[in-house]
Amino acid sequence: MEQFKGQPRLPKFAVPKRYDIRLKPDLSSCNFSGSVVIDVDVVADTRFLVLNTANLSVNTSSISFTSRNRTFQVFQLSKVEIFEDDEILVLEFEKSLPIGEGALAIEFDGILSDKMKGFYRSTYEHNGEKKSMAGTQFEPADARKCFPCWDEPAFKATFKITLDVPADLVALSNMPVTEEKVVGQLKTVSYKESPIMSTYLVAIVVGLFDYVEDHTSDGDKLYRYFATPYSLPKLDMVAIPDFAFKAMENYGLVTYRETALLYDDQHSAAANKQQVAIVVTHELAHQWFGNLVTMEWWTDLWLNEGFATWVCYLATDSLFPEWKIWTQFLDEFVEGLKLDGLEGSHPIEVEVKHASEIQEIFDAISYKKGASVIRMLQSYLGAECFQWSLGLYIERHASSNAKTEDLWAALEEGSGEPVNRCLGTYKDLYVKIDKWQSHFLASGSHGDGEWIVPITLCCGSYDNRKSVLLETRSTTLDIETRIGGEDDGTSAICSWIKLNIDQTGFYRVKYDEDLAARLRDAIENKYLSATDRFGILDDSFALCMARQQSLISLLTLMAAYWDDHDYTVLSNLIAISYRLERNAADAVPELLDFIKQFFISLFQESAEKLGWQPKAGESHLDAMLRGEVLTALAVFGHDPTLNEASRRFHVFLNDRNTPLLPPDLRKAAYVAVMQRTSAFERSGYESLLRVYRESDLSQEKTRVLSSLASCPDPNIILEVLNFLSSPEVRNQDAVLGLSVSREGRETAWTWMKFASTEKAEEIEEFFASRRRPSMARTLKQSIERVHINARWVQSVQTDEHLAEAVKQLAMQH
Ligand SMILES: *[C@@H]1O[C@H](CO)[C@@H](O)[C@H](O)[C@H]1NC(C)=O
Ligand SMILES: *[C@@H]1O[C@H](CO)[C@@H](O)[C@H](O)[C@H]1NC(C)=O
Ligand SMILES: *[C@@H]1O[C@H](CO)[C@@H](O)[C@H](O)[C@H]1NC(C)=O
Ligand SMILES: *[C@@H]1O[C@H](CO)[C@@H](O)[C@H](O)[C@H]1NC(C)=O
Ligand SMILES: [Zn+2]
């Protein structure tokens, strides 16, 4: 039996075809009993069956195997062993099992854990009473904690589920109910057998739920896009109070964290609404990408997540075109670039040797870089050709599994382009320009691969475009039009050159001084699109952090955005200013006030334009922008903002529905209140706790939590940390409160090191279990970031022109 230990994958001499599962959860004792009959197809001569199990107590005397080959012969077990580290159950029989079908029956018991994985319990309040419910979270590899199974995505089978549950509760599974029988306090609920699917998509929810119901016509958008109908007869979406991720795409039964599904007209912000749309469409996209066509193994996780992330923007854009969601996609794009810029990054396809390593790759590379690469391909191949090729891919691999090569094959077939060679990580592109004739040189200064990069550029106008497939490390491109001259931005003369039009390519661009200055002018003169303004800013910030560009030139560029009112551009400007403020506080504390003053002046224009009070019929984006701009002014200590926030907050305390503090403004007000809170003036903090306790909307609670730790007083930070670790805060939410102010960092660090309360351990365990296998990689990445910051701080300290320049910038605006 030892031969089965330490193997990355299960042996394939027997494959499951159908599971008949019966489960009986006991919500008061927090355990469950179950039985499963698995129809398996023995495909090679063997005396062994090897399947997954974890944290189940398997009743070994209940195990039987009945062959359906010729006779219905029962096979005697000679040995049963569980290897806990490998999470496998190995059954050895007295003689070889005949080729063909047989039925494996197993009875088992388990614990309804509180770890938000496997078959687990969650709690909620009903009429002032604390109640328990049960739910499942199986991805990536925890179905084995609920029933013994071949727990790998490629072992697809059908599932027939039966539940024994309290008669007064709602019990849901992937498929519709076929029969419900009540016996006393209990009911037995049977569900229709599912189509073939992977184990990680099986789901069960048992609890007290209210619901709304609707029917869609057959012609919904995703059906039309993929040219394949949704394959199950129903789709439930359920919010579960304790939930580890944002949502989980279980086939026909999507589960969500409350903040990602429940929307309240009175108390949800525009940002909440957008988040719900993004998450819901992401999970629905998975019903095709992931559930119908599943990755062969976790190595290709990016196929699932990259696509779902990309498709959710496509779907949201068609539902809410006024949100300009494709511009907002750039937030995902830069997260992908950021992680990919580290040495400790990984390619989108990752080798996974052990189940424990799977969790690690649910990261920005699989989701965000994956989606960015797809967007790049779509832009390169053309939307129509791309959609058509995807249809081909779905049709070809429906109800089956696929690898990355299979997708490339479909795209190549559809487009006739060498898609396969086009992928990878590219780092920086350098642009150099001569006076009358220009060329750009690409040099992969670090990294030893060569990639094929579709390069686009435009020159003086969006009508004057060029594109080239960069196939070697360096290439020269002649630009025919002349550089310089008088120009109103629309003529063909190149007064500026922008590479990577609309940021569709997954790479960064570094411009030389002259080109950068021309782009700054183009930004101020509003010649460039929002996506391009965003890209120039973000590339410049990345280059500055990498010490390839001075802080002065970054700040000078930022100044060009003082009159920019685009939500996504400004939101990134704000995010960058937060990062710079933190780093500058370490590097040049004596300049901190000037830097803050500069940032305030940058955002004031927008704040004044938007005003505090929402305008009737204003756009979704303005509503979100107002909140972010005011929050930034509060964080940088702008007194008029702090005063107005506090005035409105006090009205709100007496009337939670006051029009003076609509949901879009609340985060800003809460942050402002915490800026003025100290150990001597703690009423703001206490009022916020009251808001937290009196709200039953998770979005409101998390809004409060994410504001508390912005307080500059370390004494209050300590109290906040203790509150976060109290039973009043769910583990999954405590994490949100941990983004502490610069001033509170030391306190938080000490608290993390020495806190030994049970809850602190739980939070740590939450982190650990989310990240455990990734510890090695995540730790490496964090250490790399610390070094990058340290080197940056040093380089800024030795810049002797900085002080003068910063003071000037602060005065000018
Ligand atoms: C669940 O726990 C209760 C109380 O401890 C016990 O009586 C029962 O046998 C357990 N059931 C299972 C299936 O383990
Ligand atoms: C599963 O069992 C392992 C030990 O085998 C234990 O460390 C872990 O806490 C258990 N997990 C759950 C969810 O019960
Ligand atoms: C284990 O299974 C056998 C055979 O089905 C059954 O007789 C026995 O009661 C079971 N034991 C437990 C503890 O459930
Ligand atoms: C039954 O099992 C025997 C022995 O493994 C094998 O040779 C034979 O092909 C099987 N028959 C069928 C119908 O699968
Ligand atoms: Zn997903």
Side-chain angles (χ1 to χ4, degrees):
M1 289 193 153
E2 299 296 310
Q3 70 266 36
F4 302 114
K5 282 174 71 173
Q7 300 297 322
R9 308 275 291 264
L10 292 172
K12 294 196 171 64
F13 36 65
V15 292
K17 292 288 162 194
R18 176 182 190 270
Y19 291 81
D20 192 334
I21 302 166
R22 184 156 187 162
L23 294 168
K24 183 176 178 183
D26 181 337
L27 296 180
S28 45
S29 307
C30 295
N31 56 14
F32 63 95
S33 59
S35 62
V36 62
V37 178
I38 311 172
D39 293 352
V40 295
D41 197 5
V42 179
V43 293
D45 187 39
T46 181
R47 285 196 299 131
F48 298 97
L49 288 179
V50 184
L51 60 159
N52 293 114
T53 179
N55 298 75
L56 291 177
S57 91
V58 172
N59 176 350
T60 49
S61 50
S62 75
I63 302 177
S64 71
F65 182 83
T66 314
S67 171
R68 296 200 182 117
N69 176 324
R70 272 170 285 177
T71 55
F72 283 78
Q73 194 186 350
V74 178
F75 282 73
Q76 295 305 316
L77 272 175
S78 59
K79 203 171 171 196
V80 178
E81 203 156 350
I82 288 179
F83 295 113
E84 280 185 15
D85 287 347
D86 294 298
E87 304 187 339
I88 53 171
L89 168 67
V90 181
L91 309 177
E92 183 177 357
F93 295 88
E94 280 173 352
K95 52 183 181 180
S96 275
L97 303 174
I99 303 288
E101 288 215 352
L104 173 67
I106 306 176
E107 289 171 21
F108 52 90
D109 296 333
I111 306 285
L112 286 175
S113 85
D114 58 357
K115 305 280 188 283
M116 297 183 253
K117 53 188 176 179
F119 197 10
Y120 73 94
R121 65 177 185 269
S122 174
T123 56
Y124 59 95
E125 262 187 28
H126 185 243
N127 297 335
E129 221 182 300
K130 202 167 170 178
K131 298 267 180 94
S132 289
M133 61 161 291
T136 54
Q137 168 62 46
F138 290 168
E139 193 184 18
D142 290 321
R144 63 190 70 175
K145 292 197 168 91
C146 184
F147 53 92
C149 56
W150 274 260
D151 200 8
E152 292 180 7
F155 285 114
K156 287 193 172 186
T158 66
F159 293 82
K160 172 97 187 79
I161 293 175
T162 308
L163 301 177
D164 296 293
V165 295
D168 57 336
L169 299 184
V170 174
L172 301 168
S173 184
N174 306 81
M175 295 296 286
V177 173
T178 50
E179 194 184 275
E180 205 170 293
K181 258 191 294 194
V182 179
V183 181
Q185 303 278 314
L186 287 182
K187 63 180 175 186
T188 301
V189 188
S190 311
Y191 303 87
K192 198 165 183 246
E193 184 167 331
S194 77
I196 72 161
M197 58 188 274
S198 305
T199 46
Y200 79 90
L201 294 166
V202 172
I204 291 159
V205 173
V206 181
L208 196 60
F209 292 101
D210 217 345
Y211 67 94
V212 289
E213 190 167 6
D214 205 351
H215 297 266
T216 72
S217 61
D218 248 6
D220 61 77
K221 286 178 203 299
L222 291 170
Y223 170 9
R224 265 181 281 147
Y225 191 79
F226 295 124
T228 304
Y230 172 61
S231 43
L232 300 195
K234 62 95 178 169
L235 178 75
D236 288 314
M237 306 207 280
V238 187
I240 299 185
D242 296 280
F243 202 82
F245 304 93
K246 274 185 200 150
M248 175 62 212
E249 69 263 23
N250 313 301
Y251 222 167
L253 176 53
V254 183
T255 47
Y256 295 84
R257 192 182 275 213
E258 289 187 347
T259 48
L261 184 66
L262 304 183
Y263 178 80
D264 175 322
D265 266 343
Q266 282 293 309
H267 298 283
S268 297
N272 294 131
K273 184 174 185 178
Q274 183 175 305
Q275 166 84 344
V276 169
I278 289 281
V279 179
V280 169
T281 49
H282 176 110
E283 304 312 324
L284 295 190
H286 271 313
Q287 306 300 311
W288 284 261
F289 256 100
N291 300 7
L292 183 61
V293 180
T294 311
M295 75 251 138
E296 159 75 24
W297 177 239
W298 301 104
T299 292
D300 289 314
L301 177 72
W302 86 274
L303 273 180
N304 269 15
E305 297 307 344
F307 257 97
T309 304
W310 179 78
V311 172
C312 78
Y313 281 82
L314 195 75
T316 304
D317 186 49
S318 88
L319 293 168
F320 303 100
E322 68 280 13
W323 291 1
K324 301 207 173 78
I325 205 76
W326 277 117
T327 310
Q328 297 193 55
F329 178 84
L330 293 177
D331 292 336
E332 313 264 2
F333 174 87
V334 299
E335 286 302 315
L337 276 173
K338 252 184 230 160
L339 182 52
D340 213 25
L342 298 181
E343 308 258 351
S345 175
H346 61 84
I348 51 179
E349 291 178 72
V350 210
E351 194 179 351
V352 176
K353 296 203 205 78
H354 189 273
S356 66
E357 291 171 8
I358 301 169
Q359 195 64 56
E360 167 175 12
I361 56 177
F362 282 79
D363 65 3
I365 296 295
S366 301
Y367 284 73
K368 296 163 191 245
K369 179 179 172 183
S372 304
V373 166
I374 289 160
R375 177 166 162 270
M376 175 166 76
L377 277 172
Q378 190 224 19
S379 141
Y380 182 65
L381 301 175
E384 229 168 88
C385 160
F386 189 74
Q387 182 180 348
W388 186 82
S389 313
L390 279 189
L392 195 67
Y393 168 81
I394 299 251
E395 185 189 318
R396 206 173 268 174
H397 304 285
S399 304
S400 179
N401 297 77
K403 294 184 176 169
T404 302
E405 299 100 88
D406 298 321
L407 178 67
W408 297 162
L411 289 174
E412 291 194 8
E413 202 176 314
S415 68
E417 293 280 343
V419 172
N420 201 1
R421 293 187 300 144
C422 282
L423 280 168
T425 320
Y426 349 100
K427 305 281 173 174
D428 311 321
L429 283 178
Y430 295 87
V431 174
K432 236 173 119 179
I433 193 160
D434 292 328
K435 192 122 202 237
W436 292 100
Q437 179 194 336
S438 68
H439 50 256
F440 69 80
L441 302 163
S443 91
S445 66
H446 29 17
D448 20 75
E450 265 185 26
W451 292 276
I452 298 179
V453 192
I455 304 282
T456 54
L457 65 82
C458 61
C459 183
S461 146
Y462 283 104
D463 297 331
N464 192 10
R465 292 167 181 248
K466 265 185 183 291
S467 62
V468 60
L469 200 58
L470 182 67
E471 305 209 40
T472 51
R473 258 168 193 266
S474 134
T475 217
T476 305
L477 182 75
D478 288 328
I479 294 173
E480 285 136 25
T481 38
R482 298 188 312 156
I483 289 288
E486 297 305 309
D487 161 44
D488 63 1
T490 53
S491 81
I493 298 170
C494 284
S495 62
W496 48 269
I497 294 181
K498 167 71 176 60
L499 268 88
N500 201 5
I501 305 173
D502 274 336
Q503 300 301 109
T504 50
F506 193 73
Y507 55 83
R508 292 202 183 277
V509 181
K510 181 183 179 184
Y511 298 94
D512 71 7
E513 287 281 328
D514 176 47
L515 273 186
R518 288 163 180 278
L519 282 172
R520 269 202 310 274
D521 284 346
I523 289 164
E524 280 199 295
N525 288 320
K526 306 210 169 18
Y527 293 156
L528 300 179
S529 69
T531 39
D532 286 330
R533 301 199 302 275
F534 182 107
I536 293 165
L537 175 66
D538 200 72
D539 283 347
S540 175
F541 172 59
L543 289 164
C544 174
M545 293 313 293
R547 293 169 297 126
Q548 296 196 31
Q549 201 184 81
S550 69
L551 176 57
I552 300 172
S553 71
L554 172 61
L555 294 174
T556 311
L557 175 67
M558 289 172 79
Y561 290 80
W562 69 277
D563 191 25
D564 204 313
H565 303 289
D566 180 85
Y567 168 74
T568 314
V569 175
L570 234 74
S571 174
N572 197 29
L573 196 68
I574 291 170
I576 289 173
S577 68
Y578 290 154
R579 269 291 298 280
L580 289 177
E581 189 229 7
R582 280 186 178 229
N583 285 9
D586 290 337
V588 281
E590 70 282 5
L591 295 179
L592 193 58
D593 283 341
F594 293 101
I595 290 178
K596 284 191 191 176
Q597 200 181 322
F598 169 59
F599 291 152
I600 288 175
S601 71
L602 266 185
F603 305 132
Q604 234 170 334
E605 180 74 18
S606 283
E608 275 163 25
K609 193 163 165 240
L610 292 162
W612 270 84
Q613 203 55 36
K615 302 185 177 57
E618 72 179 1
S619 75
H620 169 83
L621 293 174
D622 278 353
M624 293 209 297
L625 183 57
R626 176 181 297 107
E628 290 195 21
V629 165
L630 291 174
T631 304
L633 289 178
V635 167
F636 294 128
H638 183 240
D639 275 317
T641 302
L642 295 175
N643 293 340
E644 183 61 15
S646 135
R647 182 179 81 82
R648 289 173 183 253
F649 181 67
H650 283 100
V651 178
F652 171 72
L653 280 180
N654 295 321
D655 171 14
R656 296 295 153 80
N657 294 316
T658 173
L660 285 185
L661 203 62
D664 292 319
L665 286 183
R666 286 184 203 160
K667 174 81 190 271
Y670 299 169
V671 167
V673 163
M674 290 312 294
Q675 298 309 305
R676 290 220 168 136
T677 295
S678 69
F680 305 103
E681 177 40 63
R682 28 182 310 119
S683 67
Y685 172 54
E686 274 156 14
S687 306
L688 269 174
L689 290 184
R690 232 174 73 211
V691 173
Y692 179 87
R693 289 179 178 129
E694 288 169 11
S695 171
D696 58 3
L697 182 68
S698 188
Q699 288 164 348
E700 182 68 66
K701 283 181 183 287
T702 53
R703 190 149 50 220
V704 174
L705 287 181
S706 64
S707 310
L708 294 178
S710 69
C711 182
D713 186 335
N715 296 305
I716 297 289
I717 293 290
L718 193 57
E719 285 190 43
V720 170
L721 293 168
N722 288 330
F723 174 69
L724 291 174
S725 51
S726 73
E728 283 189 80
V729 181
R730 293 184 194 270
N731 290 357
Q732 82 214 15
D733 297 334
V735 178
L736 297 171
L738 290 178
S739 57
V740 295
S741 64
R742 180 165 48 73
E743 296 86 345
R745 276 183 306 185
E746 284 298 317
T747 310
W749 176 233
T750 313
W751 180 86
M752 292 280 235
K753 275 191 298 192
F754 298 111
S756 60
T757 61
E758 202 181 317
K759 183 62 178 268
E761 278 167 19
E762 279 173 22
I763 296 176
E764 205 174 292
E765 200 185 313
F766 176 84
F767 271 124
S769 62
R770 294 282 83 66
R771 304 211 159 165
R772 178 191 43 165
S774 49
M775 272 315 189
R777 181 171 282 159
T778 313
L779 194 64
K780 221 174 119 205
Q781 291 168 350
S782 309
I783 292 172
E784 201 182 328
R785 284 200 188 93
V786 170
H787 283 304
I788 291 172
N789 275 349
R791 284 195 296 263
W792 185 87
V793 163
Q794 235 173 29
S795 79
V796 167
Q797 280 169 341
T798 53
D799 183 343
E800 45 200 48
H801 306 294
L802 184 66
E804 198 46 43
V806 164
K807 286 176 191 166
Q808 255 184 23
L809 278 169
M811 297 309 160
Q812 264 168 26
H813 287 271

